[in-house]
Amino acid sequence: MSIVYDFKENIKKDELENIAHVINDGGLVVFPTETVYGIGADATNSEAVKKIFLAKGRPQDNPLIVHISNLEMLDKYTYGINSVEKKLIDAFWPGPLTIILKSKNNLSNNVTAGLDTVGIRMPDNDIALNIIEVSQKPIAAPSANISGKPSGTKIEDIFDELNNRVDAFVDGGDTDIGIESTVVKVDNGVVNILRPGKISLEDIKALGLNVKLDRHVFEDVKDGEKVESPGMKHRHYAPKTKAILVEYDKSDKMLDKIKSYQAKNKISIGAICYKEHENELKNIGIKTIVMGSRDDLLGISRNIFSLIRGIDKYNFDVCLIEGVKKEYIGTAIMNRLIRACGYNIL
Ligand code: AMP
Ligand code: MG
């Protein structure tokens, strides 16, 4: 059985030393960040990094994000930053922004999946920063989940699937943001968002920078198509239950769809819906799971992965999921929901 450290109330100094030893000995530690839980290992130790891929069943071609706790580490592992990258770092670090930079190739090749770039970020979470500081290692950490499943945002959701696959879990309570970091790459002065997150297009624009969303944020990747980020090619988050995404402001379409299902046959229909639509849906016989208020995007972001993980237990024939406005963190929520629904959109 993996060891569980309870850091929900406070960080315990002696236990922190033990956790740092696990990292330094080439072990795996599940720890919280402000986005989601990560499975961490020493990013300079190839054997340790290999274990992450094995524990997750992660495709070998999907590189890992490296977590650092100070800017000296950035200098040590990358060829430095340009003025646009500096602006991003000054504004958003520590925080949920991963920047793809030229790697000095002194990290394990398994981390970067053989690319000459590395995704790097400084998390805004004291437990994560302390583990990096005390172990004095850059920590490679993908999201804590078996590949394909939604990222873990609370220990209870991921304990069973990762127990015995990692050496330790550090419980810091539910994560604040609930979806993974924004991933950007700066090309010719333009910030390209490869994966949207809490740091939004609007936030980056507000710095006076040129910014765009990569095409594959909302479009599926066709066979053989070249992508900026290997993670775009992989299937993510999908439950076994058939899930359909309802675009924001298309509730009428959702009601029509429900009627057509109900007219055809007796199937069980569920909905992950806004608080504002709960009663209306219940009244027509739909089992509802409330994601939060449609005006509280951060609240929805915190809940959404745990709700998607829970869908299968209801045995619905079909589950409708209400989408949010594609603005600010809503863009990131929609990016995850579209994948969870296998690009099945109403
Ligand atoms: P995860 O670790 O599960 O949060 O996923 C990390 C994401 O960052 C994946 O989508 C990766 O493909 C992406 N990523 C990591 N390193 C790079 C890189 N060097 N170039 C492009 N994308 C990267
Ligand atoms: Mg992941």
Side-chain angles (χ1 to χ4, degrees):
M1 180 128 146
S2 314
I3 304 175
V4 180
Y5 294 99
D6 184 354
F7 280 14
K8 284 201 291 290
E9 295 298 321
N10 58 322
I11 297 173
K12 295 165 190 142
K13 278 263 159 15
D14 49 333
E15 294 185 353
L16 185 61
E17 296 284 344
N18 295 343
I19 294 161
H21 279 305
V22 174
I23 295 289
N24 280 306
D25 287 346
L28 301 187
V29 176
V30 169
F31 66 96
T33 76
E34 78 280 39
T35 58
V36 299
Y37 275 81
I39 303 185
D42 172 359
T44 62
N45 178 339
S46 288
E47 289 309 311
V49 173
K50 251 189 226 162
K51 289 187 201 162
I52 297 182
F53 284 86
L54 280 176
K56 283 184 61 103
R58 184 173 174 107
Q60 293 288 335
D61 68 342
N62 197 5
L64 309 180
I65 291 170
V66 174
H67 295 70
I68 58 171
S69 57
N70 57 59
L71 293 178
E72 287 77 61
M73 287 173 129
L74 187 69
D75 283 339
K76 188 163 175 190
Y77 299 108
T78 70
Y79 282 114
I81 49 174
N82 62 34
S83 61
V84 173
E85 289 152 353
K86 179 165 189 329
K87 241 184 175 170
L88 292 170
I89 287 172
D90 287 347
F92 300 123
W93 278 13
L97 180 78
T98 298
I99 307 183
I100 309 293
L101 295 168
K102 270 257 181 285
S103 163
K104 276 187 179 160
N105 267 327
N106 47 359
L107 291 161
S108 158
N109 274 337
N110 299 329
V111 168
T112 52
L115 299 174
D116 60 0
T117 53
V118 58
I120 208 156
R121 87 175 185 100
M122 194 187 290
D124 186 14
N125 176 290
D126 283 343
I127 297 175
L129 290 172
N130 268 285
I131 295 174
I132 304 166
E133 278 294 312
V134 176
S135 63
Q136 301 219 335
K137 290 286 174 2
I139 296 189
S143 52
N145 54 277
I146 298 283
S147 273
K149 285 209 167 207
S151 305
T153 57
K154 53 182 82 182
I155 293 288
E156 305 87 272
D157 282 354
I158 49 178
F159 185 79
D160 287 343
E161 76 190 51
L162 295 176
N163 185 21
N164 294 323
R165 292 176 179 245
V166 300
D167 297 286
F169 289 88
V170 186
D171 190 350
D174 293 6
T175 56
D176 289 339
I177 297 171
I179 53 181
E180 310 87 340
S181 62
T182 308
V183 178
V184 299
K185 190 173 182 191
V186 178
D187 277 323
N188 296 317
V190 180
V191 183
N192 191 16
I193 299 180
L194 307 182
R195 178 176 74 184
K198 169 133 193 310
I199 306 291
S200 63
L201 181 113
E202 291 85 348
D203 294 333
I204 295 170
K205 207 178 256 174
L207 296 180
L209 296 174
N210 287 322
V211 52
K212 67 180 179 81
L213 270 191
D214 193 271
R215 191 159 62 83
H216 290 116
V217 166
F218 289 118
E219 269 177 39
D220 201 359
V221 178
K222 296 185 189 69
D223 278 348
E225 201 175 359
K226 190 180 171 301
V227 288
E228 285 291 333
S229 182
M232 291 165 167
K233 287 182 306 204
H234 299 293
R235 289 277 154 187
H236 279 317
Y237 317 123
K240 292 199 183 76
T241 307
K242 177 178 177 180
I244 302 175
L245 180 62
V246 183
E247 280 203 285
Y248 188 79
D249 267 350
K250 298 268 173 71
S251 319
D252 289 352
K253 263 189 155 174
M254 174 167 74
L255 293 176
D256 288 346
K257 187 84 181 169
I258 290 172
K259 277 184 203 142
S260 78
Y261 275 132
Q262 289 176 328
K264 260 192 265 163
N265 40 29
K266 267 217 141 335
I267 63 170
S268 105
I269 308 167
I272 297 186
C273 67
Y274 316 131
K275 188 178 78 193
E276 290 83 352
H277 288 165
E278 185 183 9
N279 286 338
E280 193 181 349
L281 289 167
K282 268 188 181 159
N283 289 341
I284 56 170
I286 305 302
K287 163 82 186 160
T288 54
I289 303 159
V290 174
M291 59 166 71
S293 166
R294 69 180 154 198
D295 298 323
D296 176 16
L297 290 179
L298 190 56
I300 292 176
S301 155
R302 281 194 186 119
N303 290 335
I304 201 70
F305 280 155
S306 202
L307 295 180
I308 294 170
R309 277 179 169 269
I311 291 180
D312 290 336
K313 69 173 180 260
Y314 297 100
N315 289 315
F316 297 136
D317 295 305
V318 59
C319 184
L320 298 155
I321 305 181
E322 293 204 274
V324 297
K325 273 192 198 162
K326 284 183 187 162
E327 59 181 30
Y328 296 95
I329 196 175
T331 304
I333 296 170
M334 288 299 275
N335 165 269
R336 307 314 191 266
L337 287 179
I338 283 176
R339 283 166 170 72
C341 295
Y343 296 87
N344 216 335
I345 307 168
L346 205 60

